[in-house]
Amino acid sequence: MDQIKVFSPATVANVSCGYDAMGFALETLGDDMIFTKTDSKGVIISKIEGADLPYDSDKNVAGAVAQLMLKDSKANFGLDIQIFKNFKPGSGLGSSAASASGAAFAVNQLLDKRYPDLELTKFAMQGEVVACGSAIADNVAAAIYGGFILVRSNEPLDIVNIPTPTNLIATIIHPQIEIKTEDARKVVPTQIDLKTAISQWSNVGGLISGLYSNNFDLIGRSLVDLVAEPNRKKLIPFFDEVKHAALKSGALGAGISGSGPSIFALSEGLETAKQVEYAIASVYKKSDIDFSTYVSQISKTGTRIQ
Amino acid sequence: MDQIKVFSPATVANVSCGYDAMGFALETLGDDMIFTKTDSKGVIISKIEGADLPYDSDKNVAGAVAQLMLKDSKANFGLDIQIFKNFKPGSGLGSSAASASGAAFAVNQLLDKRYPDLELTKFAMQGEVVACGSAIADNVAAAIYGGFILVRSNEPLDIVNIPTPTNLIATIIHPQIEIKTEDARKVVPTQIDLKTAISQWSNVGGLISGLYSNNFDLIGRSLVDLVAEPNRKKLIPFFDEVKHAALKSGALGAGISGSGPSIFALSEGLETAKQVEYAIASVYKKSDIDFSTYVSQISKTGTRIQ
């Protein structure tokens, strides 16, 4: 195989109660990437469409991951990478994770799949270091494993794949404002009440139980975030209105995607998810903020060959 | 039905990572109780064996729960209660919860099962108020529902029954020292680092995933408590030695049962659980502390008719 075209999904990290521990991948929103083997060693980024990202392959997330894997595997070829971004960086939908995971997945295909998913996640986490300075696992693990994932432990890295009810549909709204990850982190307290923590882990337990048992009501009851959302929501205009509109339209729950500004909702069934999309779009239509909305199944496979 | 004999199980609350949120019931250790209808209204405790507990039915946990339910249901009969305690109060194995849950279950049988399990749990929680001043749900919910339970929320009460691998066996050691619940609570911090909290809820997610998917390794990796155990273990002599001996003998994990002093271990298979029993008993045999050990399957049914 000399060339491969891959799709790498957008991802929702945190998922309300699962702050810094859970994530899921979208089926239909994500980046397209083409990787072509070259005779000369080294990695070239030859095309980037849809976003203003660095062509320097040390500074480009996908380039950095690819270089790392070629070096680790002592590959006798180089790579040309083309990146087609279908959603914007800074959305809170794991843009850098999509680039990093897409690269990890694609290079592994070109290396005859020598690395298991856990190792691919570790490589992709190095892409997150290039993007934001931290080796954050939740988005890249969701992108690589697909479905819902739990980062049980960062050190050693332990990723648990959680089954996802087929009829669970995500609705996303991305208001096009900028929130710096650093600012989003800063507003979350470094210490929390034990009582708050107990509620949060009870809800994580409920969400995971609901996913295993196809119990949509339980999933909905568990989509509660007492840690990040109360502090971060002030960074997102109309957050409360959007959440209220989503729930009123039948969503099981709604919350901030990653560190925002995107907001996600989960619904049982496509019809409800589309009603939720209409309702939350209506909130932003009244403002002068540009926005995009997406409705998508949860991706079962994550990164995949196109 | 004029008389009923019930078995109400001992229970392990917290289960390492699931502090104040999880619990499980034992199959073979628990109290026997006999409830007999009387013509005269009111509740009499006519016999208590195995423990020094109050005969005054306002102060007796089982008596208080029975009175509450007879009043709530406007029953036209009274009750005579006989209690046979097979494990000691103050063990950290839910002694008061067994009395409270046994009463709630038995009275409901005599009332033609008019209350669902969630309501029985609420009645039994009032027994916990009599015992310790707080309406704690974890032990009573485990006793009533059986298996593993998650208290997703206290207000409103929301109990999730988690499936339990058949081959998951508990080993318990009860060193006969006294730890007051109040003291055990006092050593647990009221604020915790967010990082610690994230690890804890990641492990709750891992434990619940492991239970659903029969993944014993994952169950073992998730049996980590960063919140209560590091502070409470100093109240339990030889805790570290017991835990080390349990793990060395093949246990998946071990921790403090409830607020102690009992220590539980979970193992895959009866043979390993018995090896664990031998190993942890050996630790206390070297001391002058009396102790009891138990090996039991997880109870699928919880409170039951004998």
Side-chain angles (χ1 to χ4, degrees), chain B:
Chain B
M1 195 194 298
D2 287 333
Q3 188 182 69
I4 187 169
K5 187 175 176 191
V6 302
F7 171 84
S8 188
T11 44
V12 172
N14 296 349
V15 200
S16 296
C17 50
Y19 181 72
D20 264 8
M22 293 186 70
F24 66 80
L26 297 177
E27 177 66 18
T28 52
L29 182 66
D31 294 343
D32 297 304
M33 303 169 85
I34 299 171
F35 294 75
T36 310
K37 277 188 186 176
T38 57
D39 293 334
S40 58
K41 290 197 178 183
V43 173
I44 295 161
I45 314 289
S46 66
K47 187 181 276 189
I48 301 174
E49 284 185 7
D52 182 22
L53 294 171
Y55 278 81
D56 178 341
S57 52
D58 289 333
K59 291 176 184 158
N60 181 289
V61 166
V65 171
Q67 285 188 87
L68 200 61
M69 291 176 71
L70 293 181
K71 190 177 168 191
D72 186 82
S73 63
K74 300 185 177 69
N76 60 359
F77 58 89
L79 280 175
D80 172 290
I81 306 179
Q82 301 174 59
I83 302 169
F84 306 88
K85 300 293 294 181
N86 295 316
F87 66 108
K88 291 199 165 50
S91 58
L93 294 168
S95 174
S96 58
S99 294
S101 307
F105 173 79
V107 176
N108 194 43
Q109 295 289 321
L110 296 173
L111 290 168
D112 300 325
K113 306 183 202 170
R114 73 169 65 185
Y115 297 110
D117 283 351
L118 190 70
E119 293 306 309
L120 295 186
T121 305
K122 288 178 188 171
F123 283 123
M125 285 166 74
Q126 292 306 311
E128 293 287 54
V129 173
V130 172
C132 72
S134 297
I136 297 166
D138 46 12
N139 289 99
V140 294
I144 287 170
Y145 285 77
F148 270 77
I149 60 89
L150 167 77
V151 183
R152 195 206 54 84
S153 158
N154 280 288
E155 193 61 55
L157 187 65
D158 189 3
I159 306 295
V160 182
N161 218 164
I162 316 288
T164 308
T166 308
N167 213 20
L168 187 67
I169 314 288
T171 306
I172 310 276
I173 188 160
H174 171 207
Q176 281 159 30
I177 58 163
E178 193 189 352
I179 298 181
K180 286 185 179 150
T181 305
E182 193 193 335
D183 292 341
R185 291 247 151 208
K186 222 185 294 176
V187 296
V188 179
T190 54
Q191 287 236 318
I192 60 174
D193 283 347
L194 180 60
K195 276 191 183 177
T196 303
I198 292 167
S199 293
Q200 197 90 357
W201 64 64
S202 300
N203 282 313
V204 167
L207 175 54
I208 290 182
S209 296
L211 291 168
Y212 270 95
S213 59
N214 288 319
N215 185 334
F216 289 98
D217 281 346
L218 179 56
I219 291 170
R221 294 199 302 277
S222 305
L223 286 171
V224 179
D225 176 10
L226 302 172
V227 173
E229 186 179 299
N231 301 294
R232 279 187 176 165
K233 67 178 188 178
K234 56 194 151 202
L235 302 174
I236 305 170
F238 310 110
F239 175 83
D240 283 335
E241 290 87 338
V242 166
K243 184 166 176 173
H244 179 74
L247 296 176
K248 209 176 155 193
S249 305
L252 302 165
I256 303 169
S257 176
S259 53
S262 288
I263 301 167
F264 78 94
L266 289 172
S267 301
E268 182 179 359
L270 191 60
E271 200 181 327
T272 304
K274 285 185 170 171
Q275 286 165 0
V276 170
E277 180 185 31
Y278 180 82
I280 63 182
S282 301
V283 174
Y284 271 103
K285 269 184 192 153
K286 292 177 199 154
S287 77
D288 55 2
I289 298 170
D290 284 338
F291 64 92
S292 308
T293 59
Y294 310 99
V295 172
S296 173
Q297 283 188 291
I298 313 302
S299 172
K300 297 269 181 207
T301 54
T303 45
R304 59 181 185 258
I305 298 172
Q306 284 281 60

Side-chain angles (χ1 to χ4, degrees), chain A residues 19 179-188 232 235 258-260:
Chain A
Y19 182 73
I179 297 181
K180 286 186 180 148
T181 305
E182 194 194 336
D183 292 341
R185 290 250 150 207
K186 221 187 290 174
V187 297
V188 179
R232 279 187 177 167
L235 303 175
S259 54

